[in-house]
Amino acid sequence: MGGINWHGEWSLIGPPSGGDTSNLLDQNISTPYFIYVLAFFSALGGFLFGYDTGVVSGAMLPLKREMNLNALWQELLVSSTVGAAALSALSGGYLNGWLGRRICILVASFIFSVGGIVLSLAQDKVVLLVGRVTVGLGIGIASMTVPVYIAEVSPPHMRGQLVTINSLFITGGQFVASVVDGAFSYLSRDGWRYMLGLSIIPAVLQFFGFVFLPESPRWLLQKGRSDEAHRVLSQIRGNQNIDEEYDKIKASIEEEKEVGAGGVVILRILRHGPTRRALIVGCCLQMFQQLSGINTVMYYSATILQMGGVQDDKQAIWLAAATSATNFVFTLVGVWLVEKVGRRKLVLGSLLGTGLSLTLLAVSFLLSAQNSPPVTFHPYDPQNSTCRQYGSCELCMLDPNCGFCYRENGTVVFETSCVPVNLASTDHAAWGRCSNSTEGSDNLIWAYNYCPTSYSWVVLMGLVLYLASFAPGMGPMPWTVNSEIYPLWARSTGNACSAAANWIFNVLVSLTFLHVAQFLTYYGAFFMYTGLVVLALLFVFACLPETKGLQLEDIENLFTGQLCSCRGSAYNDMRHIHYIRVKGSNSIVICTWALL
Ligand SMILES: O[C@H]1[C@H](O)[C@@H](O)[C@H](O)[C@@H](O)[C@H]1O
């Protein structure tokens, strides 16, 4: 165990286990606690990212009522934020290189505060939309800058852990948002103003924190501000001897000038083999993170649980809070494991568990579908709607125009009918016995989007297993790995592109989920995500190198070989890698094999 001495230094037990690279900086050192202060204030950006993406699903329920929002406006308010995040993440690359990490974080927290104020005071839906776009602009910049900043100020032996703390704050933000949603859902008016406005507090805290915190020494050196860089590095390393680290950063910047001089950065990245390969790995990791379906689970967990048979609205909201709590708690496991087992093993294990739990989810939906109650009661349909033609609840529920009306006695479902939904509110049928608020009495139940089933507990188990597998690896590692794999000259642009890939696939997956479910049925949709996770597993197995413990300046060397070569070897973990820097030329990588 570590401890804090009276000089304010955190001493570590020793080097992380299993690490085997010979050029690590001396790990047997004490870490000044200032680095934790830096990580905390930076990771508030992650908290805001999580809070603002998570809060909207619960806020939508009262907003829908009070602002009379139709489906289009609801979709706009959710996806405008994610769309704006994609755009601003891309432009964040340029801003990061130009203004530095610190100014970008200050800008992001300022934008978050303005967005929060606009949202909490909004009088109509257009102002709400402006607020949601503003917040999205903040999220995009924060999502790409914060991991880069933390990676650049961290000592190599704890970089993975500190960057992963940012992901812990993302899932923490999502969890807090779901609790706030639950708590304010009991207010009869204006609850959404508190839900959306509370983000102002961490935003202002981060802004004032960063007024006093330093710029990344690596960025300062790149801009030729050597004295300042030296002073900052020595400040964040607690006045330890920083000469070796400083010289290494400087030497690498000199070398990079040869590869990285002049022209548009993205074109230079694409022309330069190792950075091009790093970019492909970084973007694919972010793409696969989203294609494994995390945000269908996060944004639609209440709906998924309803589809799995949880009927009560409030119960579904609180169960959704339990979902995000699980995501948060298991991200903590990732923070704990990242420096012990490394990024690669963590991602591989996570994908394996994610694939298995998606299969479990798919199978439970399949069983529910196969045991779906038949339609037994066919009332006269004045609209002659499509709902009449369905013979079972499963088919009825998949048509967005219809819902299932039935009576229940214990676990027995009877007098079942499939009737059109009320277009103004999906809480009722358009006509007939489930059309008025007396429903619930006389054992009459209106099910929209779900069917009565006895498999809800398997769905719940599938969801928990999914999050327990996803959260330690596939959740945080794409952010962590991206903050490490690019050389300094390409770091801002590389992270901007991969963060934008994350946001673009986020919009794609979450916007298409309900349509995909409609076309492929729910079990089909989950089998599809399983297939995508298998692809991700193959990709990661073949292409993701281990970056644990290496100094940032050495990681580029992992990409000097062919893309996806040498990584999936069974010997990978038994290999000792030695890097020899030859001044003025590319580094030579020698792989030696050692039996452990
Ligand atoms: O790493 C995060 C985290 O896993 C979140 O739970 C998810 O909503 C985000 O999309 C993802 O980028």
Side-chain angles (χ1 to χ4, degrees):
M1 294 295 296
I4 298 177
N5 66 31
W6 290 112
H7 303 289
E9 292 191 337
W10 178 269
S11 38
L12 291 169
I13 336 162
S17 60
D20 37 73
T21 45
S22 63
N23 73 329
L24 294 184
L25 289 183
D26 181 15
Q27 293 177 358
N28 203 7
I29 48 172
S30 53
T31 306
Y33 69 78
F34 186 47
I35 198 77
Y36 294 99
V37 176
L38 288 188
F40 171 80
F41 277 98
S42 321
L44 283 176
F47 182 89
L48 286 159
F49 160 174
Y51 187 90
D52 281 320
T53 49
V55 78
V56 70
S57 56
M60 205 49 85
L61 301 172
L63 269 176
K64 224 164 45 179
R65 250 185 293 117
E66 289 176 41
M67 294 244 178
N68 225 344
L69 300 176
N70 59 21
L72 177 70
W73 269 93
Q74 289 177 47
E75 272 187 0
L76 265 179
L77 289 178
V78 176
S79 41
S80 56
T81 306
V82 185
L87 288 180
S88 80
L90 270 181
S91 58
Y94 175 70
L95 292 180
N96 250 269
W98 177 38
L99 299 171
R101 323 320 185 198
R102 177 175 165 270
I103 299 285
C104 281
I105 294 179
L106 279 169
V107 169
S109 46
F110 180 74
I111 296 179
F112 276 125
S113 316
V114 173
I117 294 171
V118 172
L119 284 168
S120 59
L121 299 179
Q123 292 302 329
D124 58 46
K125 53 192 176 198
V126 178
V127 180
L128 267 179
L129 185 62
V130 172
R132 289 291 294 163
V133 169
T134 311
V135 159
L137 295 177
I139 296 180
I141 298 181
S143 70
M144 64 122 328
T145 311
V146 170
V148 169
Y149 179 79
I150 301 182
E152 289 187 344
V153 294
S154 302
H157 67 283
M158 53 192 307
R159 184 183 59 240
Q161 209 157 46
L162 292 176
V163 181
T164 309
I165 284 182
N166 183 51
S167 297
L168 182 71
F169 273 50
I170 298 177
T171 53
Q174 288 174 328
F175 170 55
V176 171
S178 62
V179 173
V180 168
D181 278 352
F184 285 102
S185 66
Y186 294 94
L187 280 190
S188 56
R189 269 204 79 75
D190 287 346
W192 57 269
R193 292 191 191 278
Y194 298 100
M195 298 176 187
L196 298 173
L198 274 176
S199 63
I200 301 169
I201 300 171
V204 170
L205 185 66
Q206 188 187 43
F207 185 87
F208 284 107
F210 260 86
V211 168
F212 301 102
L213 292 175
E215 179 52 270
S216 148
R218 285 176 162 85
W219 182 84
L220 287 170
L221 252 177
Q222 194 190 30
K223 294 287 162 191
R225 290 155 65 174
S226 328
D227 294 344
E228 226 178 310
H230 197 276
R231 189 170 43 71
V232 172
L233 191 61
S234 129
Q235 181 192 9
I236 56 186
R237 295 284 177 268
N239 298 322
Q240 290 159 6
N241 186 351
I242 52 154
D243 292 346
E244 191 190 344
E245 187 177 7
Y246 181 83
D247 288 347
K248 207 158 185 181
I249 302 174
K250 201 162 178 168
S252 128
I253 290 174
E254 293 301 315
E255 274 176 42
E256 280 167 0
K257 279 188 186 146
E258 289 163 30
V259 197
V264 183
V265 183
I266 185 68
L267 295 181
R268 277 191 271 147
I269 292 182
L270 294 176
R271 275 198 299 261
H272 182 238
T275 31
R276 181 178 61 240
R277 288 187 277 275
L279 185 69
I280 294 173
V281 169
C283 290
C284 286
L285 263 185
Q286 291 286 25
M287 174 186 81
F288 280 124
Q289 181 200 62
Q290 294 301 317
L291 290 181
S292 6
I294 176 64
N295 288 316
T296 61
V297 170
M298 292 305 291
Y299 301 165
Y300 295 102
S301 55
T303 317
I304 293 175
L305 288 167
Q306 279 193 329
M307 290 173 332
V310 175
Q311 289 158 12
D312 181 57
D313 251 17
K314 287 262 182 311
Q315 197 183 352
I317 288 185
W318 284 111
L319 277 173
T323 313
S324 43
T326 316
N327 195 16
F328 171 65
V329 169
F330 282 93
T331 311
L332 210 67
V333 177
V335 175
W336 177 59
L337 284 179
V338 62
E339 295 299 2
K340 290 192 171 19
V341 302
R343 291 56 163 156
R344 193 180 140 78
K345 276 192 196 151
L346 205 50
V347 173
L348 285 172
S350 164
L351 281 169
L352 202 66
T354 305
L356 289 176
S357 33
L358 281 169
T359 314
L360 181 69
L361 275 172
V363 169
S364 50
F365 279 113
L366 180 62
L367 287 175
S368 305
Q370 282 175 344
N371 295 293
S372 177
V375 175
T376 56
F377 176 53
H378 298 274
Y380 169 68
D381 184 342
Q383 297 168 329
N384 202 12
S385 69
T386 48
C387 310
R388 287 168 58 226
Q389 71 199 39
Y390 303 122
S392 71
C393 177
E394 171 76 6
L395 297 172
C396 175
M397 175 262 295
L398 287 171
D399 185 333
N401 298 315
C402 312
F404 196 65
C405 181
Y406 63 100
R407 285 183 205 284
E408 196 176 45
N409 189 357
T411 53
V412 186
V413 170
F414 61 104
E415 272 186 29
T416 57
S417 58
C418 179
V419 285
V421 64
N422 183 336
L423 291 178
S425 153
T426 55
D427 295 344
H428 305 286
W431 45 260
R433 29 180 209 155
C434 280
S435 63
N436 56 34
S437 43
T438 59
E439 77 178 78
S441 62
D442 208 10
N443 295 337
L444 203 54
I445 295 170
W446 168 246
Y448 181 71
N449 232 341
Y450 70 89
C451 285
T453 165
S454 42
Y455 293 98
S456 17
W457 64 273
V458 195
V459 172
L460 191 63
M461 210 169 80
L463 271 184
V464 171
L465 274 180
Y466 174 90
L467 290 165
S469 322
F470 181 90
M474 254 336 246
M477 287 310 115
W479 298 108
T480 305
V481 170
N482 268 289
S483 71
E484 308 179 307
I485 54 179
Y486 308 102
L488 186 55
W489 62 269
R491 194 167 294 145
S492 318
T493 308
N495 273 278
C497 293
S498 60
N502 181 291
W503 290 111
I504 290 166
F505 281 94
N506 184 332
V507 187
L508 261 177
V509 173
S510 41
L511 275 188
T512 53
F513 173 62
L514 291 177
H515 300 279
V516 170
Q518 212 178 317
F519 276 113
L520 298 179
T521 72
Y522 286 105
Y523 61 84
F526 283 103
F527 276 129
M528 183 189 85
Y529 292 127
T530 312
L532 292 169
V533 165
V534 172
L535 282 184
L537 199 66
L538 294 176
F539 175 81
V540 170
F541 186 76
C543 310
L544 181 67
E546 182 54 71
T547 49
K548 183 179 95 175
L550 294 170
Q551 192 175 327
L552 285 179
E553 283 62 35
D554 292 323
I555 290 177
E556 185 188 1
N557 299 316
L558 297 173
F559 294 92
T560 43
Q562 266 186 339
L563 179 67
C564 303
S565 64
C566 200
R567 323 257 191 250
S569 151
Y571 303 106
N572 205 34
D573 296 324
M574 295 190 281
R575 196 176 55 197
H576 283 229
I577 304 173
H578 298 275
Y579 299 97
I580 301 172
R581 270 193 182 279
V582 181
K583 225 181 159 49
S585 71
N586 281 339
S587 309
I588 303 169
V589 182
I590 303 173
C591 300
T592 56
W593 305 95
L595 287 174
L596 291 178

